[in-house]
Amino acid sequence: MMHFIRRRKNRGFLGHDSSALTPEEEIDRQQLRFGINLNSWNLRIWAVAASGFLTGSYNLFATNVVYASIAFVYFPNERWPGLLMNATTLVGSIIGQVLFGFLADLFGRSNLYGVELVIVVISTLGLAFSGTGYQSMSFLGLFTFWRFVTGVGLGAEFITAEWSSTSARATMIATVFLMQPVGQALAQIVNVAVLLGRDQTHSLQDMRCGLDTKYEFECRQIIDGIWRIVIGVGAAPALIAILFRFFLPDSGLYNLEVRQRAKTALTNNVRVFGQPSRPFNAPNGTLSRTRTSASSDDDVADSSTPVQFSRKDLHRYFIRDGNWMYLLGAAATWFILDVALYGFGLDNRATIADLWATQYGTPIDSNLECWASPFPDGNSAVPGWIDGLPIWQTDRTRPCDTIYDVLLQQAKQYLITVSIGSLLGCICFVIFVNKIPRRQFLTSSFIFLTALFTVTGGVYYGVHHGPYAPTTAVLVGFCHFAFNFGANSLTFLIPAEIFPTAYRCFCHGVSAAAGKLGSVIAIFMVYGINTGYHSATKQGLVFLLFAFVGAIGAIFSWAYLPDIQIKVDGVLMNRDLEELSEGMLKARMQGQVFGIKEKWQGLRWRIRTKMNRGQTGGVSGVIQPMAELPA
């Protein structure tokens, strides 16, 4: 019995030369790659990943979309519940990303991703039905609990890299990531559609909801129904994704490299992609299609086989072979990106309204047309706002907007300022992802974003609350384009490519969790600035402060991430996952260097070489390869 258990343990890191594979398994892996590479694009695989990612994006950002409605109904004068909702969701996501990443590597991808979607469906319905009972429960406590559970479920990602051909891998992952801005925009559109529908059936505009207390109960009842519908709609794509995911087997690479089931790997490959259009020529010249596989599912690994997640294998991969640098590079760049992205607060409703404002806040006094109620027996709520507007009223220049007007205005400003730039950035990234050197472009992206946000902050100081204030909003839209054309997409893509199959989901989850940790830190920093610093130009300070944070990301991407592509006859070509998963030792053998010290020495050496060339008329002797540079 113990022999059977030991034989069935997952295999860990294959080594920098894949030496843990038997010669027969190496042939099988080549046949597997041959079959995958014959399929440049697989709609079924993309649909599985994209539907799940759309679900995650919609549900993650839906709370921001409906927060004004929730605040209107339950806590119109409290700012901190919004912070609590966002923080608990992100903390749940951190736990989910690490937990499901670990479990997906240990037990397989497909089943775990189906489970996480079931969690999302249940928690989404829990959110939609959150209430107070007969005044016996806390709405906020129940809502934040379900947001935490939703965050845990949203933590898992279905990584398409293992199912993708080498040439189409980056494009497929990029089109999956495109679902993030699509999900954000979809949440806004659904919110507007439900709002317009409720206005048609209940005449929201005529009741002056938020400005007058005559129909206060009816208004709260209607608005309470709106956000529940918007949240509940998020369960629909999850249900569709579940159907896809439960019927998709684990990838061939996972079955062969980790589970040591070569026959299953090749069989599943045929199930998904069909029979290859041409035969695989084995290295010995024979046709592999005359056999099922070179190795068998019943092969018994010897005692030297690395065991997944064992202390020995983790030490060998991360410490001895130095691949902690890969994880540091992936996690640190994602962390820094999300600190900057969430720090700027560019999806915050009040921030966006402030960017568009062409004047300072309108005084709350009897000169306002909404100061008195137009209803004979009505009572205006506006005189009670002298000490401050309610939380749902985010535009200080338009205090006479009803909740209906506010929701429409927020959607319009968000779609123009955030969604258009984000969508265009992701689309451009899909088009150019295979034409740019990804590691170098990530470094350049961080540097460019630092400069761009510095300029945006300077422009904000010059035009804020004046006739040219929308200039800043335009620049912010361009910032979102730059984010998604570069660092935001790349920090998701690169961790899906550079880690071995045995630890790919776990390392991707750790990297993503680092990003969410950065988000948590950023929202608390911004909350502190907003509550403790009352300058009318504080958003300019936020721009400049977090621009510096973004610059640090360039250092980590430059020093700790490998080259994912190689130039062949002047054309960039993707390295296959099998080569990338062999880790840093393999990359060093190819001439790459890692770490700030080595990178700096290499940079100095290249500068000196160019200077010597210039002094000697372009003749500098034999150029020392990077791999031979002193450590």
Side-chain angles (χ1 to χ4, degrees), residues 301-342:
D302 58 40
S303 59
S304 64
T305 299
V307 177
Q308 186 190 40
F309 287 111
S310 66
R311 182 180 299 179
K312 179 180 178 181
D313 196 52
L314 290 172
H315 182 273
R316 184 169 71 108
Y317 176 69
F318 288 106
I319 307 301
R320 193 196 71 182
D321 284 12
N323 291 296
W324 62 268
M325 289 191 180
Y326 278 19
L327 187 58
L328 175 63
T333 51
W334 208 328
F335 172 85
I336 291 164
L337 172 82
D338 278 7
V339 168
L341 185 60
Y342 280 75

Coordinates of all heavy atoms in Angstrom, one line a residue, residues 301-342:
A301 N 8.2 5.5 -10.6 CA 9.4 6.4 -10.5 C 10.3 5.8 -9.5 O 10.0 5.3 -8.5 CB 8.9 7.8 -10.1
D302 N 11.6 6.0 -9.7 CA 12.6 5.6 -8.8 C 12.7 6.6 -7.6 O 12.1 7.6 -7.6 CB 14.0 5.3 -9.5 CG 14.5 6.6 -10.2 OD1 14.3 7.7 -9.6 OD2 15.1 6.5 -11.3
S303 N 13.6 6.3 -6.7 CA 13.7 7.1 -5.5 C 14.3 8.5 -5.7 O 14.2 9.3 -4.9 CB 14.6 6.3 -4.5 OG 15.9 6.1 -5.0
S304 N 14.9 8.7 -6.9 CA 15.5 10.0 -7.2 C 14.4 10.9 -7.8 O 14.8 12.1 -8.0 CB 16.6 9.8 -8.2 OG 16.2 9.3 -9.4
T305 N 13.2 10.5 -8.1 CA 12.2 11.3 -8.6 C 11.9 12.5 -7.7 O 11.5 12.2 -6.5 CB 10.9 10.5 -9.0 OG1 11.3 9.5 -9.9 CG2 9.9 11.5 -9.5
P306 N 11.9 13.7 -8.1 CA 11.6 14.8 -7.2 C 10.1 14.8 -6.8 O 9.2 14.5 -7.7 CB 11.9 16.1 -8.0 CG 11.8 15.6 -9.4 CD 12.3 14.2 -9.4
V307 N 9.8 15.0 -5.6 CA 8.4 15.0 -5.1 C 7.9 16.4 -4.9 O 8.5 17.2 -4.2 CB 8.3 14.2 -3.7 CG1 6.9 14.2 -3.2 CG2 8.8 12.8 -3.9
Q308 N 6.8 16.7 -5.5 CA 6.2 18.0 -5.5 C 5.9 18.5 -4.1 O 5.3 17.7 -3.3 CB 4.9 18.0 -6.4 CG 4.3 19.4 -6.6 CD 2.9 19.3 -7.2 OE1 2.1 18.4 -6.9 NE2 2.6 20.2 -8.1
F309 N 6.2 19.7 -3.9 CA 6.0 20.4 -2.6 C 6.7 19.8 -1.4 O 6.4 20.1 -0.3 CB 4.5 20.5 -2.3 CG 3.8 21.6 -3.1 CD1 2.9 21.2 -4.1 CD2 4.1 22.9 -3.0 CE1 2.2 22.1 -4.9 CE2 3.5 23.9 -3.8 CZ 2.5 23.5 -4.7
S310 N 7.6 18.9 -1.7 CA 8.5 18.4 -0.6 C 9.5 19.4 -0.2 O 9.9 20.3 -1.1 CB 9.2 17.1 -1.0 OG 10.1 17.3 -2.0
R311 N 10.0 19.4 1.0 CA 11.0 20.4 1.4 C 12.2 20.3 0.5 O 12.8 21.4 0.1 CB 11.4 20.2 2.9 CG 12.3 21.2 3.4 CD 12.7 20.9 4.9 NE 11.5 21.0 5.7 CZ 11.5 20.8 7.0 NH1 12.6 20.5 7.6 NH2 10.4 20.9 7.7
K312 N 12.6 19.1 0.2 CA 13.8 19.0 -0.6 C 13.6 19.6 -2.0 O 14.5 20.3 -2.5 CB 14.1 17.5 -0.8 CG 15.4 17.1 -1.6 CD 15.6 15.7 -1.7 CE 16.8 15.3 -2.6 NZ 17.0 13.9 -2.7
D313 N 12.5 19.3 -2.6 CA 12.2 19.9 -4.0 C 12.1 21.4 -4.0 O 12.5 22.1 -4.9 CB 11.0 19.2 -4.6 CG 10.9 19.4 -6.1 OD1 11.9 19.1 -6.8 OD2 9.9 19.8 -6.6
L314 N 11.4 21.9 -3.0 CA 11.2 23.4 -2.9 C 12.6 24.0 -2.7 O 12.8 25.1 -3.3 CB 10.3 23.7 -1.7 CG 8.8 23.3 -1.9 CD1 8.0 23.6 -0.6 CD2 8.2 24.2 -3.0
H315 N 13.4 23.4 -1.9 CA 14.7 24.0 -1.7 C 15.6 23.9 -2.9 O 16.3 24.9 -3.3 CB 15.5 23.2 -0.5 CG 16.8 23.8 -0.2 ND1 18.0 23.4 -0.9 CD2 17.2 24.7 0.7 CE1 19.0 24.0 -0.4 NE2 18.6 24.9 0.6
R316 N 15.4 22.8 -3.6 CA 16.2 22.7 -4.9 C 15.8 23.7 -5.9 O 16.6 24.3 -6.6 CB 16.0 21.3 -5.4 CG 16.9 20.9 -6.7 CD 16.8 19.4 -7.0 NE 15.5 19.1 -7.5 CZ 15.3 18.7 -8.8 NH1 16.2 18.7 -9.6 NH2 14.1 18.4 -9.1
Y317 N 14.5 23.9 -6.1 CA 14.0 24.8 -7.1 C 14.2 26.3 -6.8 O 14.8 27.0 -7.5 CB 12.5 24.5 -7.4 CG 12.0 25.5 -8.4 CD1 12.4 25.5 -9.8 CD2 11.1 26.5 -8.1 CE1 11.9 26.4 -10.7 CE2 10.6 27.4 -9.0 CZ 11.0 27.4 -10.3 OH 10.5 28.3 -11.2
F318 N 13.8 26.6 -5.6 CA 13.8 28.1 -5.2 C 15.1 28.5 -4.7 O 15.6 29.6 -5.0 CB 12.7 28.4 -4.2 CG 11.3 28.3 -4.7 CD1 10.4 27.3 -4.4 CD2 10.8 29.3 -5.6 CE1 9.2 27.2 -5.0 CE2 9.5 29.3 -6.1 CZ 8.7 28.2 -5.8
I319 N 15.8 27.7 -3.9 CA 17.0 28.1 -3.2 C 18.3 27.7 -4.0 O 19.1 28.6 -4.5 CB 17.1 27.6 -1.8 CG1 15.8 28.0 -1.0 CG2 18.3 28.2 -1.1 CD1 15.5 29.5 -1.0
R320 N 18.5 26.4 -4.2 CA 19.7 26.0 -4.8 C 19.8 26.5 -6.3 O 20.9 26.9 -6.7 CB 19.8 24.4 -4.8 CG 21.1 23.9 -5.2 CD 21.1 22.4 -5.5 NE 20.4 22.2 -6.8 CZ 20.2 21.0 -7.4 NH1 20.5 19.9 -6.7 NH2 19.6 20.9 -8.6
D321 N 18.8 26.4 -7.0 CA 18.8 26.8 -8.4 C 18.5 28.3 -8.6 O 18.6 28.8 -9.7 CB 17.8 26.0 -9.3 CG 18.3 24.6 -9.6 OD1 19.3 24.2 -9.0 OD2 17.7 23.9 -10.4
G322 N 18.2 29.0 -7.5 CA 18.1 30.4 -7.5 C 16.8 31.0 -8.1 O 16.7 32.1 -8.4
N323 N 15.8 30.1 -8.2 CA 14.6 30.6 -8.9 C 13.7 31.4 -8.0 O 12.6 31.9 -8.4 CB 13.8 29.4 -9.4 CG 14.5 28.7 -10.6 OD1 14.6 29.3 -11.6 ND2 14.9 27.4 -10.4
W324 N 14.1 31.7 -6.8 CA 13.4 32.7 -6.0 C 13.5 34.0 -6.6 O 12.6 34.9 -6.4 CB 14.1 32.7 -4.6 CG 15.5 33.2 -4.6 CD1 16.6 32.4 -4.6 CD2 16.0 34.5 -4.5 NE1 17.8 33.1 -4.6 CE2 17.4 34.5 -4.6 CE3 15.4 35.8 -4.5 CZ2 18.2 35.6 -4.6 CZ3 16.2 36.9 -4.4 CH2 17.6 36.8 -4.5
M325 N 14.5 34.2 -7.5 CA 14.6 35.5 -8.2 C 13.4 35.7 -9.2 O 12.9 36.8 -9.3 CB 15.9 35.6 -9.0 CG 17.1 35.8 -8.1 SD 18.6 36.2 -9.1 CE 19.8 36.3 -7.8
Y326 N 13.0 34.6 -9.8 CA 11.9 34.6 -10.7 C 10.6 35.0 -9.9 O 9.8 35.9 -10.4 CB 11.6 33.3 -11.4 CG 12.5 32.9 -12.6 CD1 13.6 33.6 -12.8 CD2 12.1 31.9 -13.4 CE1 14.4 33.3 -13.9 CE2 12.8 31.6 -14.6 CZ 14.0 32.3 -14.8 OH 14.8 32.0 -15.9
L327 N 10.4 34.4 -8.8 CA 9.2 34.6 -8.0 C 9.3 36.1 -7.4 O 8.2 36.7 -7.4 CB 9.1 33.6 -6.8 CG 7.8 33.7 -6.0 CD1 6.6 33.5 -6.9 CD2 7.9 32.6 -4.9
L328 N 10.4 36.5 -7.0 CA 10.6 37.9 -6.5 C 10.3 38.9 -7.6 O 9.5 39.8 -7.4 CB 12.0 38.1 -6.0 CG 12.3 39.6 -5.6 CD1 11.4 40.0 -4.4 CD2 13.8 39.7 -5.2
G329 N 10.8 38.6 -8.8 CA 10.5 39.5 -9.9 C 9.0 39.6 -10.3 O 8.5 40.7 -10.5
A330 N 8.4 38.4 -10.4 CA 7.0 38.4 -10.7 C 6.1 39.0 -9.6 O 5.2 39.8 -9.9 CB 6.5 36.9 -11.0
A331 N 6.4 38.6 -8.4 CA 5.5 39.1 -7.3 C 5.8 40.6 -7.0 O 4.8 41.4 -6.8 CB 5.8 38.3 -6.0
A332 N 7.0 41.1 -7.1 CA 7.3 42.5 -6.8 C 6.8 43.4 -7.8 O 6.2 44.5 -7.5 CB 8.8 42.7 -6.6
T333 N 6.9 43.0 -9.1 CA 6.3 43.9 -10.2 C 4.8 44.0 -10.1 O 4.2 45.0 -10.3 CB 6.7 43.4 -11.5 OG1 6.4 42.0 -11.7 CG2 8.2 43.6 -11.8
W334 N 4.1 42.9 -9.7 CA 2.7 42.9 -9.6 C 2.3 43.7 -8.4 O 1.3 44.5 -8.4 CB 2.2 41.4 -9.5 CG 0.8 41.3 -10.0 CD1 -0.3 42.2 -10.0 CD2 0.2 40.1 -10.6 NE1 -1.4 41.6 -10.5 CE2 -1.2 40.3 -10.9 CE3 0.7 38.8 -10.9 CZ2 -2.0 39.4 -11.5 CZ3 -0.1 37.9 -11.5 CH2 -1.5 38.2 -11.8
F335 N 3.0 43.5 -7.3 CA 2.8 44.3 -6.1 C 2.9 45.8 -6.3 O 2.0 46.6 -6.0 CB 3.8 43.9 -5.0 CG 3.8 44.7 -3.7 CD1 2.8 44.4 -2.7 CD2 4.6 45.8 -3.6 CE1 2.8 45.2 -1.6 CE2 4.6 46.5 -2.4 CZ 3.7 46.3 -1.4
I336 N 4.0 46.2 -7.0 CA 4.2 47.6 -7.2 C 3.2 48.2 -8.2 O 2.7 49.3 -8.0 CB 5.7 47.8 -7.7 CG1 6.6 47.5 -6.6 CG2 5.9 49.2 -8.2 CD1 8.1 47.3 -7.1
L337 N 2.8 47.4 -9.2 CA 1.8 47.9 -10.2 C 0.5 48.2 -9.5 O -0.1 49.2 -9.7 CB 1.6 46.8 -11.2 CG 0.4 47.1 -12.2 CD1 0.9 48.1 -13.3 CD2 -0.2 45.9 -12.8
D338 N 0.1 47.2 -8.6 CA -1.2 47.4 -8.0 C -1.2 48.5 -6.9 O -2.2 49.2 -6.6 CB -1.7 46.1 -7.4 CG -2.4 45.2 -8.4 OD1 -2.3 45.6 -9.6 OD2 -3.0 44.2 -8.1
V339 N 0.0 48.7 -6.2 CA 0.1 49.8 -5.3 C -0.1 51.1 -6.1 O -0.9 52.0 -5.7 CB 1.5 49.9 -4.6 CG1 1.7 51.2 -3.9 CG2 1.6 48.7 -3.6
A340 N 0.5 51.2 -7.3 CA 0.4 52.4 -8.1 C -1.0 52.6 -8.6 O -1.7 53.6 -8.5 CB 1.4 52.4 -9.2
L341 N -1.6 51.5 -9.2 CA -2.9 51.5 -9.8 C -4.0 51.9 -8.9 O -4.8 52.7 -9.1 CB -3.2 50.2 -10.5 CG -4.4 50.1 -11.4 CD1 -4.4 51.1 -12.5 CD2 -4.6 48.7 -11.9
Y342 N -4.0 51.2 -7.7 CA -5.1 51.4 -6.7 C -4.8 52.7 -6.0 O -5.7 53.4 -5.5 CB -5.2 50.3 -5.8 CG -6.0 49.1 -6.3 CD1 -5.5 48.2 -7.2 CD2 -7.3 48.9 -5.8 CE1 -6.2 47.2 -7.7 CE2 -8.1 47.8 -6.3 CZ -7.5 47.0 -7.3 OH -8.2 45.9 -7.8

